Amino acid sequence: METQNPPKKGKVVLMSLLAFFALFSSVDAFFVYKAVTTHSGVITEQAYEKGLAYNQALKQAREQKNMNVRVVYVGDILVVNLNDELNMPIIGATVTAKLIRNVQAADDFDVLLHHSGDGVYSKQLDLPLKGLWTANIEAKWTQKNTKYYQTALTINNQ
């Protein structure tokens, strides 16, 4: 009569459990790695400082409503027509545009717009990639006191 060895169920169960948890841990580690390396998580730079200056931002927004400003992107030229509340051209302003690639921050860059007369500021843009861009425009000038104007324009560079 032959003696049969009992199946080694304990070792099989132990190895199965260890394999399951090893697989589970490696998948979790992969997800953590992807989450940490693909997005910084920062939505707003210097959020605390901007929060402290919120009342000043509200005051500027109220003053900005009275301005007569037109922003257009024609061909490959960004044009800002900057007029005050009396529709007089604002001369001597510093107008900058931060061009933001909506899908990747590494392609963002700033440009300084040049005054071409009668409150018109413009710059020919050489956008490095096709697709949607956002131009965050900021104008700063001094009339009695320092004034600001901010706006944004979406550019479709197809």
Side-chain angles (χ1 to χ4, degrees):
M1 182 182 248
E2 287 181 43
T3 60
Q4 293 182 353
N5 290 336
K8 298 182 180 183
K9 290 184 182 179
K11 286 185 180 180
V12 171
V13 170
L14 176 63
M15 294 310 269
S16 298
L17 281 173
L18 290 175
F20 170 76
F21 285 114
L23 177 67
F24 190 78
S25 298
S26 63
V27 169
D28 279 350
F30 173 74
F31 285 145
V32 167
Y33 167 76
K34 289 306 269 185
V36 170
T37 59
T38 57
H39 191 277
S40 67
V42 175
I43 303 299
T44 302
E45 299 289 334
Q46 290 122 7
Y48 180 73
E49 291 81 6
K50 288 180 181 178
L52 291 176
Y54 187 64
N55 286 337
Q56 180 66 24
L58 289 176
K59 179 183 173 196
Q60 289 174 358
R62 283 191 297 273
E63 292 175 357
Q64 184 169 305
K65 286 183 183 178
N66 299 329
M67 300 288 297
N68 296 312
V69 176
R70 196 181 94 216
V71 180
V72 294
Y73 181 71
V74 180
D76 59 349
I77 300 175
L78 180 63
V79 179
V80 177
N81 192 348
L82 195 58
N83 296 320
D84 65 9
E85 49 275 341
L86 301 174
N87 210 22
M88 298 297 294
I90 295 174
I91 300 170
T94 302
V95 181
T96 57
K98 179 174 180 136
L99 288 132
I100 299 170
R101 178 121 164 99
N102 296 335
V103 295
Q104 186 174 3
D107 299 320
D108 299 352
F109 63 97
D110 296 336
V111 294
L112 178 66
L113 279 69
H114 303 290
H115 187 246
S116 57
D118 290 334
V120 176
Y121 298 82
S122 62
K123 176 75 174 180
Q124 183 172 357
L125 301 180
D126 183 24
L127 299 175
L129 297 169
K130 297 211 178 282
L132 288 177
W133 290 78
T134 300
N136 288 334
I137 298 158
E138 182 177 291
K140 180 179 177 183
W141 68 95
T142 303
Q143 286 180 345
K144 298 179 188 169
N145 57 5
T146 302
K147 296 192 176 193
Y148 297 93
Y149 186 87
Q150 293 179 326
T151 190
L153 175 71
T154 301
I155 298 171
N156 190 354
N157 182 31
Q158 296 297 332

